[in-house]
């Protein structure tokens, strides 16, 4: 298998959406997610010499991002921890050993698994979008994910409405094919 | 009544179907699409797949950067990249 090469000039255009989606599903804050993605690119740049070429560029960047997310949680948890020790765990002595999480956990809550599947699905969609021509992916994201109206997209990208619908049609067809192969 | 008044081509049906996914097809267009779906298996199959994609997109938690947010990241990164390359 040929060794993978790094091309930092294309990182932001190629991987920023994938990394952002990966991050926001784990930190739930747009601004923090953007900062973490930014930090990931910078850390990648600094550690380019460590890239062995065994993994793809994206996999390598994701591995850096994962460490950034862990560091972020360590930072906020060190502050949270101080608050938690002051919390009242309840008055019942029979509940000795019960952690707060057990007390508040809802046994009927099955959303965690669903959420994980939806997160994975989101990542699969973005992987498929990466395979589309840049213009198609851009228009599709603006229309479908960001929810911009047709007029705004046409103005921003300087295209006609009929052009937009042709692009959307091609993007949807390609995306459906890709998801049928990789997800459904 | 003219045939073309109610009957649409397959391509037109697909176009209406795409617009319908974003709530941008008029009632009249949706009626024409429904009529075509009733007898054209290609349109029916396309509509089914297209609707499934819409459902999947809604179900999935997909997020992406807005253009200005991406430009911001690009700007910061370009500065560092220039330093790195010099």
């Amino acid at each position: 298998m040929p060794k993978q090469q790094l091309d930092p000039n294309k990182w932001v255009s190629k991987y920023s959406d994938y990394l952002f989606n990966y991050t926001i599903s784990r930190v739930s804050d747009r601004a923090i997610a953007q900062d973490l993605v930014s930090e990931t690119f910078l850390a990648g740049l600094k550690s380019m010499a460590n890239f062995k070429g065994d993994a793809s560029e994206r996999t390598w960047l994701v591995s850096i991002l994962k460490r950034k997310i862990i560091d972020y949680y360590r930072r906020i948890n060190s502050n949270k921890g101080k608050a938690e020790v002051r919390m009242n765990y309840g008055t019942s002595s029979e509940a000795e050993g019960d952690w707060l999480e057990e007390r508040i956990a809802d046994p009927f809550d099955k959303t965690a698994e669903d959420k994980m599947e939806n997160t994975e699905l989101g990542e699969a969609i973005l992987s498929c979008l990466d395979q589309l021509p840049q213009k198609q992916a851009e228009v599709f994201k603006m229309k479908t994910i960001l929810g911009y109206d047709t007029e705004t997209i046409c103005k921003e990208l300087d295209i006609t409405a009929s052009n937009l619908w042709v692009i959307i049609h091609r993007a949807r067809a390609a995306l459906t094919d890709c998801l049928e192969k990789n997800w459904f | 009544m003219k045939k073309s008044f109610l009957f649409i081509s397959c391509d037109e049906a697909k176009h209406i179907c795409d617009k319908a996914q974003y709530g941008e097809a008029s009632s009249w267009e949706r009626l024409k699409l429904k009529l075509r779906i009733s007898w054209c298996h290609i349109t029916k199959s396309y509509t089914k797949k297209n609707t499934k994609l819409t459902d999947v997109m809604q179900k999935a938690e997909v997020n992406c950067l807005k253009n200005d947010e991406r430009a911001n990241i690009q700007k910061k990164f370009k500065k560092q990249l220039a330093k790195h390359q010099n």
Side-chain angles (χ1 to χ4, degrees):
Chain A
M1 204 173 131
K3 292 273 181 191
Q4 303 282 332
Q5 299 284 322
L6 293 179
D7 183 2
N9 290 302
K10 291 181 182 161
W11 283 357
V12 177
S13 59
K14 275 174 91 174
Y15 308 118
S16 56
D17 278 330
Y18 185 89
L19 298 182
F20 177 75
N21 182 63
Y22 185 95
T23 315
I24 204 162
S25 62
R26 286 155 178 89
V27 302
S28 308
D29 184 296
R30 279 192 90 84
I32 291 166
Q34 285 170 57
D35 287 345
L36 290 171
V37 170
S38 243
E39 285 175 25
T40 300
F41 287 136
L42 298 182
L45 200 58
K46 284 177 190 162
S47 53
M48 275 174 74
N50 302 332
F51 181 70
K52 291 175 187 146
D54 299 333
S56 73
E57 208 175 24
R58 194 181 76 183
T59 306
W60 183 70
L61 286 168
V62 169
S63 69
I64 296 172
L65 176 61
K66 279 180 184 170
R67 288 201 293 271
K68 291 281 166 200
I69 294 171
I70 292 168
D71 287 347
Y72 162 73
Y73 275 109
R74 277 196 188 129
R75 269 201 312 271
I76 60 164
N77 277 339
S78 64
N79 294 331
K80 253 189 190 173
K82 286 170 199 161
E84 275 170 7
V85 290
R86 288 195 294 271
M87 285 173 94
N88 185 2
Y89 278 74
T91 50
S92 166
S93 58
E94 289 164 23
E96 198 182 332
D98 282 359
W99 294 96
L100 190 60
E101 288 92 328
E102 287 170 341
R103 291 186 174 210
I104 59 166
D106 177 0
F108 301 105
D109 180 18
K110 290 178 183 164
T111 56
E113 204 173 312
D114 293 344
K115 195 170 161 41
M116 195 152 67
E117 195 184 314
N118 291 345
T119 303
E120 284 172 8
L121 175 59
E123 286 164 18
I125 289 169
L126 284 174
S127 290
C128 285
L129 277 172
D130 279 348
Q131 294 169 30
L132 301 187
Q134 200 184 341
K135 189 88 171 179
Q136 274 182 32
E138 189 180 12
V139 172
F140 183 84
K141 281 174 193 171
M142 288 173 87
K143 185 82 185 141
T144 316
I145 302 173
L146 296 170
Y148 288 176
D149 61 40
T150 303
E151 205 185 328
T152 309
I153 301 171
C154 290
K155 262 188 196 165
E156 197 161 321
L157 301 179
D158 196 22
I159 54 173
T160 62
S162 56
N163 219 328
L164 175 137
W165 287 111
V166 170
I167 294 171
I168 288 284
H169 175 73
R170 289 180 183 158
R172 291 185 74 91
L175 196 57
T176 303
D177 280 351
C178 178
L179 286 172
E180 274 180 349
K181 281 179 202 149
N182 301 307
W183 185 264
F184 297 142
Chain B
M1 190 184 284
K2 274 186 186 174
K3 194 183 172 189
S4 61
F5 188 63
L6 267 177
F7 290 86
I8 51 174
S9 69
C10 204
D11 283 344
E12 198 181 339
K14 285 176 181 175
H15 174 55
I16 294 171
C17 178
D18 289 335
K19 287 208 293 182
Q21 305 311 311
Y22 300 95
E24 292 187 28
S26 66
S27 315
W28 180 240
E29 284 175 323
R30 277 183 277 132
L31 177 72
K32 288 194 282 187
L33 176 63
K34 272 187 184 171
L35 195 69
R36 174 133 195 143
I37 289 170
S38 68
W39 61 271
C40 172
H41 72 277
I42 297 171
T43 307
K44 192 177 177 180
S45 157
Y46 180 80
T47 304
K48 197 177 163 189
K49 282 184 181 179
N50 215 6
T51 310
K52 191 174 177 184
L53 179 64
T54 301
D55 291 345
V56 161
M57 290 300 301
Q58 281 168 358
K59 188 180 152 203
E61 289 171 7
V62 197
N63 275 286
C64 68
L65 290 160
K66 293 175 187 165
N67 287 352
D68 57 327
E69 293 171 337
R70 192 180 303 104
N72 229 342
I73 292 176
Q74 182 75 277
K75 198 175 153 191
K76 275 188 210 167
F77 184 64
K78 266 193 174 169
K79 273 186 196 168
Q80 295 299 320
L81 189 60
K83 275 186 201 169
H84 182 81
Q85 285 170 342
N86 288 332

